[in-house]
Amino acid sequence: MKTTKAEEKNHDLRDALTRIQSCADMLGHEELEPDQRQAWTQAIAHELAGVVDMTQDLLLYQKHLRQELRYAAHIQQRLLPKPFHASPGIHFDAVNASAQEVGGDFYDYFPVSEHEFAFFIGDVCDKGIPAAIFMASAHSTLK
């Protein structure tokens, strides 16, 4: 199974924290000589520097993903219709507020003829990106 970049970064971070714990355990041994204690302390410092770098990388990656999701949410909202004012006898508005940044709920309405219009509502049984992709596909098919 393919792992994501975030999963790989999290795995690397967990490994580094495990190594730090192992070094800290070694420092707990009373029989260590001063030079050994210094070596283990330096190993911890080295690993901590790596953890800081990995954490910064992970935070930047998460920021990038949040931006991508904001773009996706904007695109998804643009797929939805504008308020309906085509007929003097009929007026309605709709709002789509996803539980997550993007989701699988959708609606649309459009004139079919001078006196008829079509209206449909969809709710994909999922949340997030897979539901949003399915929603866009279903919306395109129904149009």
Side-chain angles (χ1 to χ4, degrees), residues 42-94:
Q42 288 173 341
I44 290 173
H46 177 75
E47 288 293 339
L48 283 173
V51 166
V52 169
D53 288 344
M54 284 186 267
T55 302
Q56 289 173 335
D57 287 348
L58 190 55
L59 290 172
L60 286 173
Y61 184 68
Q62 288 173 339
K63 181 179 177 181
H64 169 76
L65 288 179
R66 281 192 300 274
Q67 183 64 38
E68 292 290 320
L69 284 172
R70 280 194 294 273
Y71 291 145
H74 178 72
I75 291 167
Q76 186 175 37
Q77 288 300 313
R78 293 190 66 183
L79 289 174
L80 299 174
K82 304 290 183 246
F84 181 79
H85 302 288
S87 173
I90 301 173
H91 176 80
F92 57 87
D93 288 312

Side-chain angles (χ1 to χ4, degrees), residues 97-139:
S98 295
Q100 297 179 1
E101 288 87 350
V102 293
D105 299 335
F106 66 97
Y107 59 89
D108 201 353
Y109 37 85
F110 49 88
V112 176
S113 69
E114 185 178 332
H115 301 289
E116 299 175 306
F117 71 95
F119 181 79
F120 58 87
I121 298 172
D123 183 1
V124 178
C125 296
D126 199 356
K127 289 182 172 51
I129 295 170
I133 292 170
F134 186 82
M135 179 280 290
S137 175
H139 187 264

